[in-house]
Amino acid sequence: MKVKFSKLGMLALPLLLAGSPLVSQAEEQNSSFDVFYYSLSDQYISAFQNEMETLAKEQNLSLESFDANNDAGAQELQIAEKLPDNKPKIINLVKPELTEKIIENCKKSGSRVIFFNRQPDLKHMDDYSKVWYVEGDSMQAGQLQAEVVIDYIERHPDIDRNKDGRIATIILTGPQEHQATYLRTASLAVELCLKYNYIDINAKLDGQFDSLKARGELENYILNNGIDHVELIICNNDAMALGAISALNKEGYNTGSKKKKYIPVFGVDGIEPAIKAIEENKLEATIVNDEKEQAQAILILAQSKETDNRKLSKKLNMKVWSNGTVYIPYTKIIRK
């Protein structure tokens, strides 16, 4: 089984992935960082941590990592306890409500702050010149996901299994307070509605970006509505897509056999288990949220003592917006 990699969004990769730090050797650099994760039980965040630690080791950088286990109070305490060391703080927020206090405290100590993956409250970023936010472009993720869904529909008119002229669609969403949930879902829905008027979004199930939660939600939906009312499943991340596949397996679908029943499932993130599921003919496609590229951008911002976003844009070879936001392009992996 082969998978196809899209070239879209790869233009920013060469400098970032060249294998050596992009911060000028003549520039005074930071080399030790505190990294705060919202939850290392999240499959994407776990893969991200592995990439971050690998890159740090290659560049002789020191990381001290903390897992909040999805507890906002625990994360707030972890950050507060590390403020006196004045190291750059790399933060994957549990909740955006922590943004203001974190920035205020780091401003007092003069520490650089790089938020990633979970969007902070952006209005507070204007109050401090040493704060940035690095994330995959979630709107682009939804648009690319729509593209691969549209391509599948056009190549597989038999997707309408019950021949009613409609495509019964389920969307598994992340936490409602997560900005990526809104942007991925909204941009996906807009693109699909512009293209087709016969896609019925029968349910948006709250999978919380979690495989087991998504599996349970889909199993309950099938129990109450029947498998015939599921013809297309679109997920805000790969963990939920893998959970959806587990639920379909119980019904005899998406077992990996080309001779057996199949419902197309689409994810986002590009985690290894999802890529394996594509190779095994269980998952149709994923949109890659490149953890290596994000980790490298974060380390460049953390190492540098530069605060001018125009100069930082040159170091990164990508746009750093005036409020300190950096969006990393997505790519596509599609079952062939």
Side-chain angles (χ1 to χ4, degrees), residues 23 27-28 30 88 110-114 125-126 128-132 300-316 320-326:
V23 181
E27 176 190 330
E28 185 182 359
N30 299 303
S111 302
R112 295 172 80 84
V113 184
I114 300 94
M125 290 179 58
D126 292 331
Y128 187 38
S129 64
K130 296 182 181 181
V131 60
W132 295 270
I300 291 168
L301 291 171
Q303 287 178 78
S304 177
K305 294 197 173 182
E306 181 62 69
T307 58
D308 187 319
N309 287 333
R310 289 172 297 181
K311 293 180 180 179
L312 287 170
S313 293
K314 293 180 180 179
K315 292 180 185 294
L316 290 171
V320 180
W321 294 89
S322 59
N323 68 349
T325 298
V326 180

Side-chain angles (χ1 to χ4, degrees), residues 105-117:
N105 288 334
C106 288
K107 190 175 181 179
K108 292 175 184 176
S109 65
S111 302
R112 295 172 80 84
V113 184
I114 300 94
F115 295 108
F116 72 97
N117 181 258

Side-chain angles (χ1 to χ4, degrees), residues 146-159 167 195-196 198-199 266:
E147 286 180 15
V148 295
V149 170
I150 290 167
D151 179 67
Y152 181 89
I153 292 171
E154 293 184 348
R155 289 186 292 110
H156 298 86
D158 57 342
I159 188 175
I167 299 175
K195 182 69 177 180
Y196 302 117
Y198 53 84
I199 291 182
F266 298 84

Side-chain angles (χ1 to χ4, degrees), residues 21-273:
L22 299 188
V23 181
S24 168
Q25 296 303 310
E27 176 190 330
E28 185 182 359
Q29 302 174 29
N30 299 303
S31 61
S32 184
F33 316 109
D34 298 322
V35 188
F36 303 90
Y37 296 101
Y38 99 91
S39 176
L40 288 173
S41 65
D42 182 307
Q43 289 175 291
Y44 176 78
I45 296 301
S46 178
F48 178 92
Q49 184 195 33
N50 290 337
E51 290 291 352
M52 179 79 87
E53 291 182 349
T54 298
L55 288 170
K57 185 176 181 180
E58 291 172 356
Q59 300 174 23
N60 295 316
L61 304 174
S62 174
L63 304 179
E64 185 174 3
S65 298
F66 303 85
D67 181 5
N69 198 26
N70 206 23
D71 184 327
Q75 185 172 70
E76 187 173 8
L77 182 60
Q78 288 169 348
I79 296 170
E81 289 178 346
K82 297 302 294 183
L83 282 172
D85 65 18
N86 292 329
K87 296 177 184 178
K89 304 292 183 276
I90 299 170
I91 303 172
N92 172 215
L93 285 168
V94 174
K95 291 186 178 296
E97 289 79 8
L98 297 176
T99 305
E100 183 176 14
K101 189 170 185 180
I102 289 170
I103 290 177
E104 284 180 357
N105 288 334
C106 288
K107 190 175 181 179
K108 292 175 184 176
S109 65
S111 302
R112 295 172 80 84
V113 184
I114 300 94
F115 295 108
F116 72 97
N117 181 258
R118 291 190 158 203
Q119 182 171 300
D121 190 339
L122 296 178
K123 68 176 178 288
H124 297 297
M125 290 179 58
D126 292 331
D127 300 332
Y128 187 38
S129 64
K130 296 182 181 181
V131 60
W132 295 270
Y133 169 52
V134 178
E135 169 63 309
D137 186 342
S138 293
M139 184 170 291
Q140 183 199 33
Q143 292 166 345
L144 292 179
Q145 199 173 44
E147 286 180 15
V148 295
V149 170
I150 290 167
D151 179 67
Y152 181 89
I153 292 171
E154 293 184 348
R155 289 186 292 110
H156 298 86
D158 57 342
I159 188 175
D160 180 17
R161 299 194 325 278
N162 60 15
K163 310 301 181 185
D164 65 353
R166 316 293 298 176
I167 299 175
T169 303
I170 304 296
I171 298 180
L172 279 158
T173 68
Q176 296 308 300
E177 70 274 12
H178 198 308
Q179 185 73 355
T181 296
Y182 171 75
L183 291 175
R184 291 176 187 178
T185 305
S187 56
L188 165 77
V190 167
E191 295 295 323
L192 291 180
C193 290
L194 285 174
K195 182 69 177 180
Y196 302 117
N197 61 5
Y198 53 84
I199 291 182
D200 294 333
I201 299 176
N202 289 344
K204 291 182 180 179
L205 306 178
D206 184 5
Q208 290 288 312
F209 285 157
D210 181 77
S211 181
L212 290 177
K213 174 69 172 172
R215 175 179 176 171
E217 289 288 321
L218 186 57
E219 286 176 346
N220 287 336
Y221 181 87
I222 292 172
L223 179 66
N224 293 321
N225 298 278
I227 194 70
D228 288 342
H229 291 276
V230 182
E231 294 172 325
L232 170 64
I233 300 173
I234 307 172
C235 307
N236 281 167
N237 80 346
D238 283 342
M240 294 189 297
L242 295 170
I245 290 170
S246 295
L248 293 178
N249 289 166
K250 289 181 62 178
E251 304 294 327
Y253 285 79
N254 296 50
T255 60
S257 171
K258 290 185 176 181
K259 296 181 179 180
K260 292 197 174 182
K261 298 175 286 187
Y262 181 79
I263 294 173
V265 180
F266 298 84
V268 174
D269 276 343
I271 61 175
E272 284 300 320

